[in-house]
Amino acid sequence: MKMVVRRLNVSAQVSRCSGLVAMSVAMLFAHVGCEQPPGDAVKQVADAERDFRSQNYPSAEAKLTQFIQRYPKSPEAAEAYYLRSLCNARRSSKVAAEADARSCLRLSKDKLLTANAHATIATLCFEANRNREAIDHFAAALAVLPDKAPSDLLRFRYATCLQREGRWAEAKAEFNAVCNRYPGSDLGPLALRMTQWQHDAFSIQCGAFREKSAAVSLEKKIRQAGLKAWVEQRSRSGEVLHTVYAGNYPSYAQARDALPRVQRSAPGAHIVP
């Protein structure tokens, strides 16, 4: 039985502040061939998709699991794995979500579905600080997905991963792409600030002051602790601030390791850019 063609715009958006999986999904239930699941099985996946839209994730997951168990190698199993991956992501079962997205990749013959599976894996790797692994999946997803939200978030995270791996020129190009390809994106101002960072290394911002004397005093304190420190003038919201920085670190991991030591002298210190 040939499946009825249906294009499903399934939103898996979650708050950008929460850092969970965020993407717009287009799932294509359209295949040709004679060895297809029967109509009741097709309906089961459609019912699971409706459950997903209704945020009834346990019910959707149960139906998808049953379908996958019955037809594990069918073309439709790729979509079932992907939809189950979204259910798991919404339920914060990240290990299961990634496993299902990888199963989708193994079975998928659809370009868009494959791209969305790459986006899911990239996002989960990003959230787990597996930046090197995330890079390839972000690149594969962005090569296919259209330049519209939420691809701006995917591209911003891709740039962040490149930056954290010390690939500064590539990261700056991707931050520029966020500014130029997604007009009106709320990530635009932050991406622009990233492109204006003048160093090909991470640093630790220790404080920002209107009065230069306060910045110099903190700089001296940090130097006395045996750390490299300096003061730069930075413009923020039209105001010039004297900003104290400590250290130059080629990778984010190095800056993260150094942060506790700096925070002993400047409790509010944080990694920049």
Side-chain angles (χ1 to χ4, degrees), residues 105-127:
L105 275 187
R106 287 194 296 270
L107 292 172
S108 177
K109 304 298 182 183
D110 181 84
K111 188 176 180 181
L112 186 56
L113 180 62
T114 297
N116 278 298
H118 277 299
T120 298
I121 296 168
T123 299
L124 292 167
C125 290
F126 172 83
E127 291 167 359

PDB file of all heavy atoms in Angstrom, residues 105-127:
ATOM      1  N   LEU A 105      18.946   8.705  10.897  1.00  0.00           N
ATOM      2  CA  LEU A 105      19.994   8.946   9.900  1.00  0.00           C
ATOM      3  C   LEU A 105      20.346   7.688   9.124  1.00  0.00           C
ATOM      4  O   LEU A 105      20.563   7.729   7.915  1.00  0.00           O
ATOM      5  CB  LEU A 105      21.267   9.474  10.568  1.00  0.00           C
ATOM      6  CG  LEU A 105      21.389  10.970  10.836  1.00  0.00           C
ATOM      7  CD1 LEU A 105      22.786  11.280  11.347  1.00  0.00           C
ATOM      8  CD2 LEU A 105      21.093  11.783   9.590  1.00  0.00           C
ATOM      9  N   ARG A 106      20.404   6.564   9.816  1.00  0.00           N
ATOM     10  CA  ARG A 106      20.781   5.310   9.155  1.00  0.00           C
ATOM     11  C   ARG A 106      19.745   4.882   8.127  1.00  0.00           C
ATOM     12  O   ARG A 106      20.088   4.276   7.106  1.00  0.00           O
ATOM     13  CB  ARG A 106      20.964   4.201  10.194  1.00  0.00           C
ATOM     14  CG  ARG A 106      22.224   4.332  11.033  1.00  0.00           C
ATOM     15  CD  ARG A 106      22.535   3.045  11.793  1.00  0.00           C
ATOM     16  NE  ARG A 106      21.500   2.739  12.771  1.00  0.00           N
ATOM     17  CZ  ARG A 106      21.531   3.172  14.021  1.00  0.00           C
ATOM     18  NH1 ARG A 106      22.534   3.937  14.438  1.00  0.00           N
ATOM     19  NH2 ARG A 106      20.573   2.845  14.870  1.00  0.00           N
ATOM     20  N   LEU A 107      18.487   5.203   8.365  1.00  0.00           N
ATOM     21  CA  LEU A 107      17.409   4.723   7.500  1.00  0.00           C
ATOM     22  C   LEU A 107      16.913   5.757   6.504  1.00  0.00           C
ATOM     23  O   LEU A 107      16.325   5.404   5.479  1.00  0.00           O
ATOM     24  CB  LEU A 107      16.216   4.276   8.362  1.00  0.00           C
ATOM     25  CG  LEU A 107      16.414   3.026   9.215  1.00  0.00           C
ATOM     26  CD1 LEU A 107      15.221   2.845  10.149  1.00  0.00           C
ATOM     27  CD2 LEU A 107      16.596   1.792   8.348  1.00  0.00           C
ATOM     28  N   SER A 108      17.122   7.026   6.784  1.00  0.00           N
ATOM     29  CA  SER A 108      16.490   8.079   5.988  1.00  0.00           C
ATOM     30  C   SER A 108      17.006   8.125   4.552  1.00  0.00           C
ATOM     31  O   SER A 108      18.211   8.060   4.300  1.00  0.00           O
ATOM     32  CB  SER A 108      16.732   9.444   6.644  1.00  0.00           C
ATOM     33  OG  SER A 108      16.198  10.476   5.851  1.00  0.00           O
ATOM     34  N   LYS A 109      16.061   8.255   3.630  1.00  0.00           N
ATOM     35  CA  LYS A 109      16.375   8.469   2.214  1.00  0.00           C
ATOM     36  C   LYS A 109      15.926   9.857   1.770  1.00  0.00           C
ATOM     37  O   LYS A 109      16.011  10.192   0.593  1.00  0.00           O
ATOM     38  CB  LYS A 109      15.680   7.412   1.349  1.00  0.00           C
ATOM     39  CG  LYS A 109      16.009   5.969   1.726  1.00  0.00           C
ATOM     40  CD  LYS A 109      17.485   5.654   1.558  1.00  0.00           C
ATOM     41  CE  LYS A 109      17.783   4.191   1.893  1.00  0.00           C
ATOM     42  NZ  LYS A 109      19.239   3.884   1.805  1.00  0.00           N
ATOM     43  N   ASP A 110      15.412  10.619   2.717  1.00  0.00           N
ATOM     44  CA  ASP A 110      14.873  11.943   2.405  1.00  0.00           C
ATOM     45  C   ASP A 110      15.850  13.020   2.856  1.00  0.00           C
ATOM     46  O   ASP A 110      16.300  13.034   4.012  1.00  0.00           O
ATOM     47  CB  ASP A 110      13.522  12.143   3.095  1.00  0.00           C
ATOM     48  CG  ASP A 110      12.924  13.497   2.785  1.00  0.00           C
ATOM     49  OD1 ASP A 110      12.278  13.635   1.737  1.00  0.00           O
ATOM     50  OD2 ASP A 110      13.127  14.435   3.595  1.00  0.00           O
ATOM     51  N   LYS A 111      16.168  13.937   1.969  1.00  0.00           N
ATOM     52  CA  LYS A 111      17.185  14.951   2.228  1.00  0.00           C
ATOM     53  C   LYS A 111      16.817  15.853   3.403  1.00  0.00           C
ATOM     54  O   LYS A 111      17.646  16.153   4.279  1.00  0.00           O
ATOM     55  CB  LYS A 111      17.389  15.781   0.958  1.00  0.00           C
ATOM     56  CG  LYS A 111      18.551  16.751   0.997  1.00  0.00           C
ATOM     57  CD  LYS A 111      18.692  17.433  -0.359  1.00  0.00           C
ATOM     58  CE  LYS A 111      19.861  18.416  -0.367  1.00  0.00           C
ATOM     59  NZ  LYS A 111      19.987  19.095  -1.690  1.00  0.00           N
ATOM     60  N   LEU A 112      15.572  16.301   3.448  1.00  0.00           N
ATOM     61  CA  LEU A 112      15.148  17.215   4.493  1.00  0.00           C
ATOM     62  C   LEU A 112      15.066  16.515   5.849  1.00  0.00           C
ATOM     63  O   LEU A 112      15.489  17.066   6.871  1.00  0.00           O
ATOM     64  CB  LEU A 112      13.801  17.841   4.135  1.00  0.00           C
ATOM     65  CG  LEU A 112      13.278  18.935   5.057  1.00  0.00           C
ATOM     66  CD1 LEU A 112      14.285  20.070   5.192  1.00  0.00           C
ATOM     67  CD2 LEU A 112      11.946  19.468   4.532  1.00  0.00           C
ATOM     68  N   LEU A 113      14.534  15.313   5.852  1.00  0.00           N
ATOM     69  CA  LEU A 113      14.471  14.547   7.091  1.00  0.00           C
ATOM     70  C   LEU A 113      15.881  14.280   7.629  1.00  0.00           C
ATOM     71  O   LEU A 113      16.142  14.409   8.833  1.00  0.00           O
ATOM     72  CB  LEU A 113      13.733  13.225   6.853  1.00  0.00           C
ATOM     73  CG  LEU A 113      13.594  12.300   8.058  1.00  0.00           C
ATOM     74  CD1 LEU A 113      12.788  12.956   9.166  1.00  0.00           C
ATOM     75  CD2 LEU A 113      12.961  10.979   7.647  1.00  0.00           C
ATOM     76  N   THR A 114      16.801  13.933   6.750  1.00  0.00           N
ATOM     77  CA  THR A 114      18.189  13.708   7.152  1.00  0.00           C
ATOM     78  C   THR A 114      18.792  14.967   7.762  1.00  0.00           C
ATOM     79  O   THR A 114      19.471  14.914   8.794  1.00  0.00           O
ATOM     80  CB  THR A 114      19.022  13.260   5.941  1.00  0.00           C
ATOM     81  OG1 THR A 114      18.508  12.005   5.461  1.00  0.00           O
ATOM     82  CG2 THR A 114      20.488  13.097   6.295  1.00  0.00           C
ATOM     83  N   ALA A 115      18.515  16.119   7.153  1.00  0.00           N
ATOM     84  CA  ALA A 115      19.048  17.385   7.671  1.00  0.00           C
ATOM     85  C   ALA A 115      18.514  17.675   9.068  1.00  0.00           C
ATOM     86  O   ALA A 115      19.257  18.119   9.953  1.00  0.00           O
ATOM     87  CB  ALA A 115      18.696  18.523   6.722  1.00  0.00           C
ATOM     88  N   ASN A 116      17.227  17.410   9.281  1.00  0.00           N
ATOM     89  CA  ASN A 116      16.649  17.657  10.600  1.00  0.00           C
ATOM     90  C   ASN A 116      17.212  16.705  11.645  1.00  0.00           C
ATOM     91  O   ASN A 116      17.400  17.080  12.806  1.00  0.00           O
ATOM     92  CB  ASN A 116      15.132  17.557  10.530  1.00  0.00           C
ATOM     93  CG  ASN A 116      14.493  18.838  10.026  1.00  0.00           C
ATOM     94  OD1 ASN A 116      14.612  19.878  10.643  1.00  0.00           O
ATOM     95  ND2 ASN A 116      13.844  18.758   8.879  1.00  0.00           N
ATOM     96  N   ALA A 117      17.493  15.464  11.248  1.00  0.00           N
ATOM     97  CA  ALA A 117      18.127  14.529  12.182  1.00  0.00           C
ATOM     98  C   ALA A 117      19.530  15.017  12.551  1.00  0.00           C
ATOM     99  O   ALA A 117      19.938  14.964  13.723  1.00  0.00           O
ATOM    100  CB  ALA A 117      18.178  13.133  11.567  1.00  0.00           C
ATOM    101  N   HIS A 118      20.279  15.510  11.559  1.00  0.00           N
ATOM    102  CA  HIS A 118      21.595  16.093  11.853  1.00  0.00           C
ATOM    103  C   HIS A 118      21.454  17.275  12.820  1.00  0.00           C
ATOM    104  O   HIS A 118      22.268  17.434  13.746  1.00  0.00           O
ATOM    105  CB  HIS A 118      22.257  16.577  10.566  1.00  0.00           C
ATOM    106  CG  HIS A 118      22.977  15.518   9.798  1.00  0.00           C
ATOM    107  ND1 HIS A 118      24.034  14.812  10.309  1.00  0.00           N
ATOM    108  CD2 HIS A 118      22.788  15.044   8.524  1.00  0.00           C
ATOM    109  CE1 HIS A 118      24.486  13.951   9.411  1.00  0.00           C
ATOM    110  NE2 HIS A 118      23.750  14.063   8.330  1.00  0.00           N
ATOM    111  N   ALA A 119      20.422  18.104  12.613  1.00  0.00           N
ATOM    112  CA  ALA A 119      20.223  19.260  13.485  1.00  0.00           C
ATOM    113  C   ALA A 119      19.939  18.837  14.917  1.00  0.00           C
ATOM    114  O   ALA A 119      20.431  19.452  15.868  1.00  0.00           O
ATOM    115  CB  ALA A 119      19.079  20.120  12.948  1.00  0.00           C
ATOM    116  N   THR A 120      19.153  17.777  15.070  1.00  0.00           N
ATOM    117  CA  THR A 120      18.852  17.280  16.409  1.00  0.00           C
ATOM    118  C   THR A 120      20.117  16.794  17.104  1.00  0.00           C
ATOM    119  O   THR A 120      20.397  17.135  18.259  1.00  0.00           O
ATOM    120  CB  THR A 120      17.831  16.128  16.340  1.00  0.00           C
ATOM    121  OG1 THR A 120      16.612  16.616  15.782  1.00  0.00           O
ATOM    122  CG2 THR A 120      17.559  15.547  17.714  1.00  0.00           C
ATOM    123  N   ILE A 121      20.911  15.985  16.401  1.00  0.00           N
ATOM    124  CA  ILE A 121      22.146  15.455  16.990  1.00  0.00           C
ATOM    125  C   ILE A 121      23.109  16.598  17.308  1.00  0.00           C
ATOM    126  O   ILE A 121      23.741  16.623  18.374  1.00  0.00           O
ATOM    127  CB  ILE A 121      22.794  14.437  16.044  1.00  0.00           C
ATOM    128  CG1 ILE A 121      21.870  13.225  15.858  1.00  0.00           C
ATOM    129  CG2 ILE A 121      24.155  13.982  16.570  1.00  0.00           C
ATOM    130  CD1 ILE A 121      22.289  12.299  14.730  1.00  0.00           C
ATOM    131  N   ALA A 122      23.224  17.555  16.395  1.00  0.00           N
ATOM    132  CA  ALA A 122      24.110  18.699  16.626  1.00  0.00           C
ATOM    133  C   ALA A 122      23.713  19.455  17.885  1.00  0.00           C
ATOM    134  O   ALA A 122      24.566  19.824  18.706  1.00  0.00           O
ATOM    135  CB  ALA A 122      24.070  19.638  15.420  1.00  0.00           C
ATOM    136  N   THR A 123      22.420  19.689  18.046  1.00  0.00           N
ATOM    137  CA  THR A 123      21.939  20.430  19.211  1.00  0.00           C
ATOM    138  C   THR A 123      22.217  19.685  20.506  1.00  0.00           C
ATOM    139  O   THR A 123      22.659  20.270  21.496  1.00  0.00           O
ATOM    140  CB  THR A 123      20.430  20.704  19.061  1.00  0.00           C
ATOM    141  OG1 THR A 123      20.213  21.495  17.886  1.00  0.00           O
ATOM    142  CG2 THR A 123      19.891  21.467  20.260  1.00  0.00           C
ATOM    143  N   LEU A 124      21.981  18.381  20.501  1.00  0.00           N
ATOM    144  CA  LEU A 124      22.234  17.580  21.697  1.00  0.00           C
ATOM    145  C   LEU A 124      23.725  17.538  22.029  1.00  0.00           C
ATOM    146  O   LEU A 124      24.109  17.608  23.200  1.00  0.00           O
ATOM    147  CB  LEU A 124      21.677  16.172  21.504  1.00  0.00           C
ATOM    148  CG  LEU A 124      20.146  16.100  21.434  1.00  0.00           C
ATOM    149  CD1 LEU A 124      19.697  14.733  20.926  1.00  0.00           C
ATOM    150  CD2 LEU A 124      19.518  16.386  22.783  1.00  0.00           C
ATOM    151  N   CYS A 125      24.567  17.447  21.010  1.00  0.00           N
ATOM    152  CA  CYS A 125      26.016  17.488  21.245  1.00  0.00           C
ATOM    153  C   CYS A 125      26.439  18.847  21.797  1.00  0.00           C
ATOM    154  O   CYS A 125      27.261  18.935  22.717  1.00  0.00           O
ATOM    155  CB  CYS A 125      26.772  17.197  19.948  1.00  0.00           C
ATOM    156  SG  CYS A 125      26.668  15.495  19.357  1.00  0.00           S
ATOM    157  N   PHE A 126      25.879  19.898  21.248  1.00  0.00           N
ATOM    158  CA  PHE A 126      26.181  21.258  21.711  1.00  0.00           C
ATOM    159  C   PHE A 126      25.838  21.408  23.191  1.00  0.00           C
ATOM    160  O   PHE A 126      26.622  21.948  23.977  1.00  0.00           O
ATOM    161  CB  PHE A 126      25.392  22.267  20.880  1.00  0.00           C
ATOM    162  CG  PHE A 126      25.468  23.682  21.368  1.00  0.00           C
ATOM    163  CD1 PHE A 126      26.534  24.494  21.027  1.00  0.00           C
ATOM    164  CD2 PHE A 126      24.464  24.208  22.177  1.00  0.00           C
ATOM    165  CE1 PHE A 126      26.607  25.807  21.484  1.00  0.00           C
ATOM    166  CE2 PHE A 126      24.532  25.503  22.631  1.00  0.00           C
ATOM    167  CZ  PHE A 126      25.601  26.311  22.286  1.00  0.00           C
ATOM    168  N   GLU A 127      24.659  20.919  23.570  1.00  0.00           N
ATOM    169  CA  GLU A 127      24.219  21.055  24.950  1.00  0.00           C
ATOM    170  C   GLU A 127      25.076  20.234  25.908  1.00  0.00           C
ATOM    171  O   GLU A 127      25.158  20.547  27.096  1.00  0.00           O
ATOM    172  CB  GLU A 127      22.749  20.661  25.060  1.00  0.00           C
ATOM    173  CG  GLU A 127      21.834  21.661  24.376  1.00  0.00           C
ATOM    174  CD  GLU A 127      20.422  21.151  24.203  1.00  0.00           C
ATOM    175  OE1 GLU A 127      20.145  19.995  24.591  1.00  0.00           O
ATOM    176  OE2 GLU A 127      19.596  21.913  23.691  1.00  0.00           O
TER     177      GLU A 127
END
